[in-house]
Amino acid sequence: MEPETSFLAPAEAESLGIEHEPPSKLTCQYCGKEREPLGVKGPNGKVRWVTFAACGCVGEAEEEARRDKAEKAKREADAVKKLLRAGVPMRFIASEIRRPESLKFIESLSERTGRGLYLYGGVGAGKTSEASAIVKTVIRSGRKAVLTTTLSMLNEISKGYGDSEGKDISHFIRADLLVLDDVGKENANSWAATTMFEVVNGRYERMLPTIYTSQYSFSELERRMSRSGERESAQAVLSRIVQTSTLVDLGRTDRRRSR
């Protein structure tokens, strides 16, 4: 921590007998009052005038409050942009963590256990809201997080093979935290099943945490993922999800309708 600079006012320099040039004058732009010069003692033993004391008038205080408000608004806007880039939907930007399992998960991130969460619940149970709140906390800690539906992820990877606007599969495999929202809604064809396995297994081998949200139980999800005959891939994916995920049952109440 750098030492605090000790400023000298003209009266102090006089009383201490420190040599100095007469300071320039500056009046407050808000009230017209003359502001007190402040200086520091240089290596030559003389005082060098470097700034002026705050006036303390109402106008100056109001301007400082305005600047603070503008800076705070900019910080908040920048934070929102960062969350949107990570995939947090605008509707869930203000989400807050509700579950103790989520807090425990965040506390364990530094241990690199590779464990994540499986947020399971009916339509409107708050799965995406809870996942978004976790992503917010993780991003604020300086880590990289990606939130996406499995369908969107597969579309991005597919585009990435021949389109510079798509995302390479490594974007999802290497993120500090990946949230796969609405697992089980994606296609179950051979390419989708294989790609899903690549992502899940890539993170499994690197011991990177993944959060899954789904309205399907583990057994229901396996049936969903193997509905086009890709049973082996579905089993391999489910095996890794079950091994690395803490199941969080959010219930079946539709919070949207209950409001």
Side-chain angles (χ1 to χ4, degrees):
M1 187 175 184
E2 294 184 3
E4 188 176 337
T5 303
S6 179
F7 290 111
L8 292 168
E12 293 173 300
E14 289 285 351
S15 66
L16 294 171
I18 302 175
E19 188 178 350
H20 60 277
E21 298 290 334
S24 58
K25 294 183 179 181
L26 180 71
T27 57
C28 174
Q29 61 178 312
Y30 304 105
C31 68
K33 176 183 173 182
E34 189 172 318
R35 293 171 60 184
E36 183 178 45
L38 296 174
V40 293
K41 189 175 180 181
N44 60 358
K46 294 183 179 181
V47 173
R48 180 166 54 91
W49 306 109
V50 294
T51 188
F52 291 85
C55 175
C57 68
V58 173
E60 185 182 64
E62 289 177 345
E63 174 60 19
E64 185 175 354
R66 185 199 67 77
R67 284 198 304 268
D68 288 345
K69 184 178 180 180
E71 289 174 2
K72 181 181 178 182
K74 184 179 184 305
R75 287 196 301 271
E76 291 175 349
D78 290 343
V80 168
K81 288 179 183 177
K82 187 178 289 187
L83 292 175
L84 292 174
R85 284 197 299 269
V88 176
M90 177 60 80
R91 182 174 293 278
F92 300 111
I93 289 292
S95 297
E96 298 295 334
I97 290 174
R98 297 185 300 125
R99 299 288 302 215
E101 296 95 337
S102 301
L103 293 173
K104 187 174 181 181
F105 164 76
I106 291 168
E107 291 169 357
S108 70
L109 278 177
S110 60
E111 299 172 13
R112 190 69 181 259
T113 63
R115 289 199 60 79
L117 301 173
Y118 190 86
L119 303 177
Y120 165 60
V123 174
K127 302 182 293 295
T128 305
S129 175
E130 187 75 7
S132 296
I134 295 171
V135 169
K136 281 171 55 180
T137 304
V138 169
I139 287 178
R140 286 172 182 165
S141 73
R143 295 180 173 89
K144 179 184 177 183
V146 174
L147 188 156
T148 179
T149 63
T150 50
L151 182 58
S152 293
M153 179 188 73
L154 292 171
N155 286 339
E156 286 290 337
I157 294 172
S158 178
K159 285 195 305 181
Y161 288 132
D163 187 341
S164 59
E165 293 184 2
K167 291 183 173 64
D168 186 85
I169 194 170
S170 63
H171 173 77
F172 304 100
I173 291 177
R174 298 180 183 278
D176 294 333
L177 171 66
L178 174 65
V179 177
L180 290 178
D181 197 22
D182 264 337
V183 178
K185 296 292 182 65
E186 68 281 353
N187 294 324
N189 57 42
S190 178
W191 180 84
T194 301
T195 304
M196 186 72 172
F197 173 77
E198 282 188 62
V199 172
V200 172
N201 187 61
R203 298 186 61 77
Y204 174 82
E205 291 180 345
R206 290 169 175 78
M207 295 187 70
L208 290 170
T210 306
I211 293 175
Y212 307 89
T213 83
S214 183
Q215 68 185 68
Y216 304 107
S217 67
F218 288 142
S219 58
E220 290 169 336
L221 182 59
E222 183 176 341
R223 286 195 295 272
R224 287 283 302 174
M225 295 181 70
S226 59
R227 65 188 184 276
S228 294
E230 297 297 325
R231 186 170 180 79
E232 287 187 9
S233 294
Q235 289 177 334
V237 169
L238 256 295
S239 176
R240 287 158 176 77
I241 291 177
V242 172
Q243 182 185 346
T244 60
S245 300
T246 297
L247 177 64
V248 183
D249 191 341
L250 298 179
R252 297 294 172 273
T253 300
D254 188 337
R255 293 167 59 197
R256 300 186 190 105
R257 293 190 177 189
S258 64
R259 289 172 183 161

